[in-house]
Amino acid sequence: MLIVRKYGGTSVGSAARIAAVAGQVTELAGQGHQVAVVVSAMGDTTDRLLDLAREIAPTPDVRELDALLATGEMVSTALLAMALRARGQPARSWNALQLPIETSGFAGRARLERIGVAGLREDLARGLVPVVAGFQGRAANGDLTTIGRGGSDTTAVALAAAIGADECQILTDVDGVYTTDPRMVPQARRLERVSFEEMLELAGQGSRVLHLRSVECAARHGVRLRVLSSFTPGPGTLICREESTMEAPLVSGIAFNRDEAAITVADVPDRPGMAHALLAPIAAAGIEIDMIVVNAPRGGRVDLTFTVHRDDFRQALELCSAAATGCDGARVSGDPQVAKLAIVGSGMRSHAGVAATLFATLAALAINIRLVSTSEIKISVLVAEAELERAVRALHQAYGLD
Ligand code: ADP
Ligand code: ASP
Ligand code: MG
């Protein structure tokens, strides 16, 4: 088989871990598989580099920040290639400028465009293990870029698609995708299989076990994707197309995200174009808006509430306040202490009463729901951050996931 294996930060967090990973990769290659490896930066390197940059400059230059952050992954590739060679397994490290991994778009959140695979194919044909730096890319002008936090998963899947790998394996510190984050709910269970659709919702709603764009990329290119532990052997979780023969579970999992912040514009005149006037400057600044709700008009006025990433809260609040001065009488307020949780399951399509259970469970805990948004297979609600953990635990039990 041709396998792309990605090892996350914890999995390559020390010299000992890198040696262990080299052992696993050598064993896999020894079984006759062709293996390409993608690695993240060691442990919390990316966070430490970010802190360092902010010590130097409160808002660091974006080009230099990308140049800095990209070094983390380069350290891991060189060390892992050395470790493999030391074991007698030929290997070679590759960074985004060498391959190249071409990207477009904003610094810090670049999009993958194309991966040059000639060098990789040559390595694979000669029995070398190529070790590729995740998370980074090369802009059209030759600058180093990064593709967004947690992005090495996406590098791995894009690489798997580019070389036509039989499977892309994401090796991490949990042995698969669980019904919810096992760090919060110890009763969480590993899922044998998850459909692409469900995984897209889980990742999109905050389960950081897989980067959202890696799941999108796998679904688009039909890449077989598996989540495995780098610490303990096991079957992990396969992310695959939904099987029509199987009865889909009502709720497969619960995702949550603490990085939300809510902004409310009250008493907006109920006229066409108001939402556009308020939100366009935020979009123009490259800030992603997540949930949006407009309530029913009273007295010719509406309230508009939306959420953004907490890091973007201050800027979004300023932009929105400036825009609101043009909407006579509109008042802007914000709350950065909110969190989102979402229940996800393909079975929701054909079952009634899923939402009722959610509302009943939260009502029994006297947890106030600030916003609701739904898709065919997901219901997400915004709650105060302080209530999140209680809510997730209770819902995990209410939907029989414990
Ligand atoms: P890596 O550094 O390997 O990319 P991450 O920290 O990004 O690892 O992702 C793994 C973590 O994702 C786990 O340690 C776990 O706490 C968290 N997680 C969140 N939701 C889930 C879930 N549904 N299933 C498994 N892990 C989850
Ligand atoms: N090192 C990067 C991060 O911490 C990318 C990754 O780990 O996937 O976000
Ligand atoms: Mg990750």
Side-chain angles (χ1 to χ4, degrees):
M1 284 215 304
L2 174 54
I3 298 171
V4 172
R5 257 209 181 177
K6 177 255 172 178
Y7 285 93
T10 315
S11 304
V12 292
S14 64
R17 285 299 314 161
I18 290 175
V21 165
Q24 293 174 17
V25 172
T26 304
E27 193 185 321
L28 197 63
Q31 291 163 358
H33 300 296
Q34 287 188 309
V35 192
V37 179
V38 173
V39 283
S40 291
M42 294 172 70
D44 61 357
T45 299
T46 309
D47 289 324
R48 283 194 295 102
L49 291 171
L50 260 175
D51 289 345
L52 199 56
R54 290 188 184 131
E55 250 179 72
I56 299 283
T59 44
D61 178 77
V62 290
R63 176 183 186 273
E64 303 313 330
L65 189 60
D66 269 358
L68 178 73
L69 296 187
T71 61
E73 270 66 15
M74 295 188 199
V75 170
S76 310
T77 55
L79 291 175
L80 180 56
M82 275 177 211
L84 285 162
R85 283 172 172 272
R87 296 188 142 257
Q89 169 60 54
R92 176 152 67 154
S93 66
W94 291 93
N95 66 38
L97 304 182
Q98 294 170 318
L99 266 182
I101 300 174
E102 292 169 11
T103 61
S104 63
F106 290 99
R109 48 183 111 173
R111 313 268 325 163
L112 294 176
E113 290 293 340
R114 204 190 67 87
I115 299 184
V117 293
L120 296 183
R121 287 203 196 285
E122 201 177 294
D123 282 0
L124 291 167
R126 288 171 44 210
L128 265 78
V129 171
V131 183
V132 177
F135 179 55
Q136 58 182 252
R138 187 186 79 174
N141 67 359
D143 282 354
L144 273 167
T145 57
T146 62
I147 64 170
R149 296 304 306 272
S152 296
D153 298 339
T154 300
T155 305
V157 173
L159 192 69
I163 62 174
D166 297 300
E167 187 163 297
C168 181
Q169 304 178 340
I170 305 293
L171 276 80
T172 181
D173 55 8
V174 271
D175 64 346
V177 177
Y178 276 62
T179 47
T180 192
D181 190 340
R183 284 183 211 245
M184 185 192 275
V185 182
Q187 294 87 342
R189 283 181 296 112
R190 181 176 59 83
L191 297 164
E192 206 64 47
R193 286 162 173 266
V194 185
S195 71
F196 280 121
E197 268 186 299
E198 288 175 322
M199 198 62 232
L200 278 172
E201 292 285 9
L202 288 170
Q205 301 298 313
S207 290
R208 74 168 191 285
V209 62
L210 283 175
H211 195 231
L212 173 61
R213 283 152 55 194
S214 72
V215 188
E216 284 170 357
C217 187
R220 192 168 339 113
H221 297 284
V223 173
R224 200 180 149 88
L225 185 60
R226 194 185 285 281
V227 176
L228 295 162
S229 164
S230 69
F231 292 82
T232 50
T237 299
L238 183 69
I239 292 94
C240 56
R241 287 189 212 293
E242 208 171 307
E243 286 170 24
S244 48
T245 52
M246 254 168 50
E247 185 84 51
L250 201 56
V251 172
S252 297
I254 304 178
F256 57 85
N257 181 358
R258 298 176 189 279
D259 299 331
E260 299 265 325
I263 295 177
T264 299
V265 196
D267 294 332
V268 180
D270 185 20
R271 287 200 299 267
M274 281 294 138
H276 173 68
L278 290 166
L279 300 180
I282 294 172
I287 297 174
E288 261 177 54
I289 293 173
D290 183 16
M291 305 167 99
I292 307 183
V293 170
V294 183
N295 71 346
R298 18 166 194 79
R301 304 249 162 190
V302 296
D303 294 347
L304 175 117
T305 303
F306 60 94
T307 64
V308 294
H309 193 282
R310 210 172 281 177
D311 290 348
D312 296 325
F313 176 63
R314 286 283 143 220
Q315 197 191 354
L317 195 66
E318 276 166 28
L319 290 166
C320 191
S321 301
T325 55
C327 310
D328 58 310
R331 291 172 291 115
V332 180
S333 60
D335 183 355
Q337 302 301 326
V338 291
K340 182 173 67 170
L341 71 86
I343 54 170
V344 174
S346 303
M348 269 184 221
R349 267 197 213 96
S350 46
H351 282 82
V354 182
T357 303
L358 175 97
F359 295 136
T361 307
L362 297 186
L365 295 172
I367 292 175
N368 195 21
I369 298 174
R370 312 269 300 264
L371 288 183
V372 182
S373 110
T374 61
S375 79
E376 254 194 319
I377 63 162
K378 167 208 84 186
I379 306 172
S380 56
V381 297
L382 195 73
V383 298
E385 190 187 359
E387 309 275 32
L388 178 70
E389 192 156 338
R390 268 192 330 137
V392 172
R393 286 170 188 267
L395 290 168
H396 197 265
Q397 193 172 28
Y399 287 109
L401 298 174
D402 276 8

